[in-house]
Amino acid sequence: MATIYEVSALAGVSLSSVSRVLNDHQHVSEKTKKKVMDAMQELGFRPNSVARSLASNRSNCIGILVSELHGPFYGAMLSEIETELRKAGKHSIVTAGHSNEQSEKEGIEFLIDRNCDALIMLVDALPNEYFVKLKKNKTPFTVLNRHIPEIEDNCFYLDNELGGYLATKHFIEHGHKHIAYISGPLSKQDATDRFHGHQRALKEANIPLNDALVVEGDYLIQSGRDGMASLLDTGINFTAVACANDEMAAGAMKTVRDRGFTMPDDYSIIGFDNVFFTEYLYPQLSTINFPIKDMAKMSTQWILKHVYKQKNIDVENFFKPELITRESISHI
Amino acid sequence: MATIYEVSALAGVSLSSVSRVLNDHQHVSEKTKKKVMDAMQELGFRPNSVARSLASNRSNCIGILVSELHGPFYGAMLSEIETELRKAGKHSIVTAGHSNEQSEKEGIEFLIDRNCDALIMLVDALPNEYFVKLKKNKTPFTVLNRHIPEIEDNCFYLDNELGGYLATKHFIEHGHKHIAYISGPLSKQDATDRFHGHQRALKEANIPLNDALVVEGDYLIQSGRDGMASLLDTGINFTAVACANDEMAAGAMKTVRDRGFTMPDDYSIIGFDNVFFTEYLYPQLSTINFPIKDMAKMSTQWILKHVYKQKNIDVENFFKPELITRESISHI
DNA sequence: ACCGAGACTGGAAGCGCTTCCATTCTTACC
DNA sequence: GGTAAGAATGGAAGCGCTTCCAGTCTCGGT
């Protein structure tokens, strides 16, 4: 691979000049610019981005840390960020944190050590204080699906409580009074928020919360199956079940069908997130939309604005969930 | 961020010694090792990986190029690779090629320019010759889901023809004689291979191929819906439809149901790939297993063996598909 | 013709690390 | 005690680029 030296030699100009045209600096005459371009062309020169990054302390790379690389939710997010970044001529380096404090930390350090210009993170094990401290570092960052009061501007988050409320309220409006709930892991903020929304809707309708009708899952499909099974096993009468995410809803639907019941006649179900496969399910799953793509896009806008100083960018940190009505809920 | 200079000063040893302990070289006494470690600890030193990479021409990073960052198929692959790599203390830099020749090429150059030690690619726009040429470069690589005869060792691929054969043969064994086919984009090798398998199974059973019962899709769900609709609209009698991937199968199922038919009684359906959501569908989709995780894992093993010289690694390039029987196929 | 303000260009010092080479220190052994 | 092989260390030259600084050139204005 040719280096800038060879280009400079072939073009008959100095290193600095080559560097200047490489970086599109002002104060380079058209003549030398052309000479350099031709030489680059001839040599098939491609700048070594590692060297550039070392010398300039700039990488044009954004580090992305998500819990997992698979799954509909993270997939949508990654894809959106990558697309937006590429439009702006930036690149993404993505790594996974596996919902584990140690490996989340390693991931962040890895990205910083690779000289990323900024970070976009969606993680759940690291505590808030970590991010508050991290802000003292030089690498700017953004946090998704999390509200950290001390660094609000860096956060992009959804009103999860409202989402939970909307879901259960929708059931109530359809005449349901006995509503079960399969929650996410209550150690996570979004899970508790969603659950609180559920409780608020119940309270508003003067329906007491029946603890026996609440089970805690882990956001994975199996826990939806198991959760629904144990709900059914209680023998308590209920007609609807709100799930804290779509995966668990899919699991619950499976159990309902395995037990010989139908949906939505015997049981109405609602999910949360509105991931792509909710439309493939039968019946199609009503759910709460989590505008992850919008949030992902917005967080890259934030970076374009704050890190690369692009103008005319408006940033919005707070997002509202919306009810998506499909076929999984019946009137009573 | 502290540099190696400060460590060397604090520890009272030379730069070289610090570097030696950093790289776990032989010929460093326990004493100086300890001094250096302590100094690093005290300064919270973290090596600048960009500088290391520039100086050593090694990055401990593997570049990964996939068509898209979302989707069940790529997600599974990315996740598997990242996990395997991390186990070996390596990192991944992932980028997307968007099934577009230009941007695939850019992606590859980006990864090479970032000094990746090796590449893992799953792309479909770039022609075979590109990879044959690429092999002359210094960066080793691996290609998934593609058989390029000239560089067979670098390829990890599935017997797609066999998969197509297995699917249709399964229908035939269940008494189906009128079998429709929704293919992938026939410009892609895997799509034509799968289709050829379908044809072979038909031929073997002395069933003539009815062109009117073949539609070409693009592997996306909508084309499954549309494909099934136009199949139904032909008015030709058929009882089963083989789809070249699961997404299109999900789309086809949707159309079947929208038209008021049931599965598997009115129509039997089979997919291809065995992505995670096939189990969520109703009826659960029978399909052909594409061992993408195994292939992803194997290709990282290849890299560990050839790039990082790890021993005791056996590499297998060729994978066999398997039939997964679930609920979407009836006997006739 | 002269001056100064920019425009343009080149030189050279770094960015933070690795690694080759040379030097010094140990140790085992005769 | 002397020697040589090998272990341990330090010095210094890069890796390929950016960027500051200083010097040269150009040109309009007087």
Side-chain angles (χ1 to χ4, degrees), chain A residues 7-51:
Chain A
V7 175
S8 120
L10 183 59
V13 300
S14 73
L15 278 191
S16 336
S17 292
V18 177
S19 176
R20 272 183 212 107
V21 348
L22 208 52
N23 293 287
D24 216 16
H25 266 272
Q26 46 181 5
H27 304 325
V28 223
S29 68
E30 284 304 319
K31 214 176 63 190
T32 75
K33 191 165 183 172
K34 178 158 187 344
K35 280 195 289 189
V36 172
M37 300 279 240
D38 288 348
M40 285 181 175
Q41 181 79 39
E42 189 174 336
L43 293 168
F45 170 80
R46 276 190 348 237
N48 177 325
S49 50
V50 174

Side-chain angles (χ1 to χ4, degrees), chain A residues 49 70 79 221 254 280 284, chain B residues 70 79 113 221 254 280 284:
Chain A
S49 50
H70 62 261
S79 195
I221 183 164
K254 178 106 181 57
Y280 299 9
Q284 287 187 31
Chain B
H70 62 259
S79 194
D113 294 346
I221 184 164
K254 179 106 180 58
Y280 299 10
Q284 288 187 34

Side-chain angles (χ1 to χ4, degrees), chain B residues 59-290:
Chain B
S59 64
N60 283 317
C61 281
I62 309 300
I64 309 188
L65 181 67
V66 288
S67 297
E68 301 297 340
L69 260 26
H70 62 259
F73 192 80
Y74 299 118
M77 169 182 160
L78 290 178
S79 194
E80 188 70 20
I81 295 176
E82 204 263 350
T83 304
E84 286 299 308
L85 245 28
R86 183 170 281 215
K87 268 191 223 160
K90 311 297 174 191
H91 281 274
S92 46
I93 297 188
V94 1
T95 189
H98 303 291
S99 297
N100 161 305
E101 192 165 337
Q102 182 57 26
S103 90
E104 286 180 358
K105 201 190 274 182
E106 280 173 18
I108 293 174
E109 294 182 350
F110 165 73
L111 294 170
I112 291 177
D113 294 346
R114 289 250 91 181
N115 224 327
C116 288
D117 294 339
L119 265 38
I120 297 178
M121 298 174 282
L122 174 24
V123 298
D124 31 44
L126 247 17
N128 281 4
E129 307 86 62
Y130 181 87
F131 296 97
V132 177
K133 272 192 208 140
L134 192 62
K135 190 158 181 178
K136 302 208 172 74
N137 266 278
K138 78 170 191 11
T139 310
F141 64 88
T142 258
V143 175
L144 261 59
N145 193 30
R146 193 151 168 172
H147 180 194
I148 303 174
E150 299 92 323
I151 54 169
E152 221 163 29
D153 283 354
N154 303 66
C155 299
F156 294 83
Y157 51 98
L158 183 78
D159 190 339
N160 279 298
E161 197 271 351
L162 178 60
Y165 171 80
L166 254 26
T168 297
K169 186 173 171 221
H170 186 60
F171 278 146
I172 293 170
E173 285 170 354
H174 277 63
H176 293 272
K177 293 199 161 41
H178 305 285
I179 305 171
Y181 192 81
I182 300 181
S183 84
L186 293 171
S187 56
K188 299 190 181 177
Q189 189 63 43
D190 56 358
T192 60
D193 287 348
R194 290 172 188 191
F195 184 44
H196 286 149
H198 168 69
Q199 291 172 289
R200 176 158 68 94
L202 251 29
K203 193 166 190 180
E204 199 178 275
N206 287 314
I207 300 175
L209 176 73
N210 182 347
D211 285 334
L213 250 28
V214 176
V215 298
E216 182 176 350
D218 62 3
Y219 280 151
L220 299 179
I221 184 164
Q222 186 60 41
S223 75
R225 293 178 72 160
D226 298 344
M228 190 66 193
S230 63
L231 247 19
L232 256 17
D233 290 342
T234 59
I236 301 176
N237 174 51
F238 65 97
T239 59
V241 32
C243 302
N245 80 344
D246 294 332
E247 326 260 336
M248 295 195 299
M253 287 171 81
K254 179 106 180 58
T255 297
V256 170
R257 200 143 35 215
D258 286 350
R259 299 272 179 119
F261 296 113
T262 64
M263 290 163 290
D265 298 336
D266 295 327
Y267 292 100
S268 288
I269 300 205
I270 194 166
F272 201 120
D273 283 349
N274 193 27
V275 300
F276 75 95
F277 67 72
T278 48
E279 288 192 84
Y280 299 10
L281 297 173
Y282 177 71
Q284 288 187 34
L285 185 66
S286 291
T287 188
I288 301 295
N289 186 50
F290 189 125

Side-chain angles (χ1 to χ4, degrees), chain A residues 14-260:
Chain A
S14 73
L15 278 191
S16 336
S17 292
V18 177
S19 176
R20 272 183 212 107
V21 348
L22 208 52
N23 293 287
D24 216 16
H25 266 272
Q26 46 181 5
H27 304 325
V28 223
S29 68
E30 284 304 319
K31 214 176 63 190
T32 75
K33 191 165 183 172
K34 178 158 187 344
K35 280 195 289 189
V36 172
M37 300 279 240
D38 288 348
M40 285 181 175
Q41 181 79 39
E42 189 174 336
L43 293 168
F45 170 80
R46 276 190 348 237
N48 177 325
S49 50
V50 174
R52 296 182 84 170
S53 176
L54 179 62
S56 68
N57 210 16
R58 234 321 134 82
S59 65
N60 283 317
C61 280
I62 308 300
I64 308 188
L65 182 67
V66 288
S67 296
E68 301 297 339
L69 262 25
H70 62 261
F73 192 80
Y74 300 118
M77 168 181 158
L78 290 178
S79 195
E80 188 69 20
I81 294 176
E82 203 263 350
T83 304
E84 287 299 309
L85 244 29
R86 183 170 282 217
K87 269 192 222 159
K90 311 296 175 192
H91 281 274
S92 46
I93 297 188
V94 2
T95 189
H98 302 292
S99 298
N100 161 305
E101 191 165 338
Q102 182 58 26
S103 92
E104 286 180 359
K105 199 189 274 179
E106 280 173 18
I108 293 174
E109 294 182 351
F110 166 73
L111 294 170
I112 291 177
D113 294 345
R114 290 229 66 97
N115 225 327
C116 288
D117 294 339
L119 265 39
I120 297 179
M121 297 175 282
L122 173 25
V123 298
D124 31 43
L126 246 18
N128 281 4
E129 307 86 65
Y130 181 87
F131 296 96
V132 177
K133 273 193 207 138
L134 192 62
K135 189 156 182 180
K136 302 209 172 74
N137 266 277
K138 77 171 189 17
T139 310
F141 64 87
T142 258
V143 176
L144 262 61
N145 192 31
R146 193 150 169 172
H147 179 194
I148 304 174
E150 299 92 324
I151 53 169
E152 222 164 29
D153 283 354
N154 303 68
C155 299
F156 295 83
Y157 51 97
L158 182 77
D159 190 340
N160 279 298
E161 198 271 351
L162 178 60
Y165 171 81
L166 254 26
T168 297
K169 187 175 170 217
H170 186 60
F171 278 147
I172 293 170
E173 286 171 353
H174 277 62
H176 293 272
K177 293 199 160 41
H178 305 284
I179 305 169
Y181 191 83
I182 301 181
S183 85
L186 292 171
S187 56
K188 298 191 183 178
Q189 189 62 42
D190 55 358
T192 61
D193 288 348
R194 290 172 189 191
F195 184 43
H196 285 149
H198 168 69
Q199 290 171 287
R200 176 157 68 93
L202 249 31
K203 194 166 190 178
E204 198 177 274
N206 287 314
I207 300 175
L209 177 73
N210 183 347
D211 285 335
L213 249 29
V214 175
V215 299
E216 181 176 351
D218 62 2
Y219 280 152
L220 299 180
I221 183 164
Q222 186 60 43
S223 76
R225 293 178 70 159
D226 298 343
M228 190 68 195
S230 63
L231 246 20
L232 255 17
D233 290 342
T234 60
I236 301 176
N237 174 50
F238 64 98
T239 59
V241 31
C243 303
N245 80 346
D246 294 332
E247 325 260 335
M248 295 196 299
M253 287 171 80
K254 178 106 181 57
T255 297
V256 169
R257 199 141 36 214
D258 285 350
R259 298 274 179 116

Side-chain angles (χ1 to χ4, degrees), chain A residues 73 158 160 194 219 244-247 271-275 278 287-292:
Chain A
F73 192 80
L158 182 77
N160 279 298
R194 290 172 189 191
Y219 280 152
N245 80 346
D246 294 332
E247 325 260 335
F272 202 119
D273 283 348
N274 193 28
V275 301
T278 48
T287 189
I288 300 295
N289 186 50
F290 189 123
I292 182 64

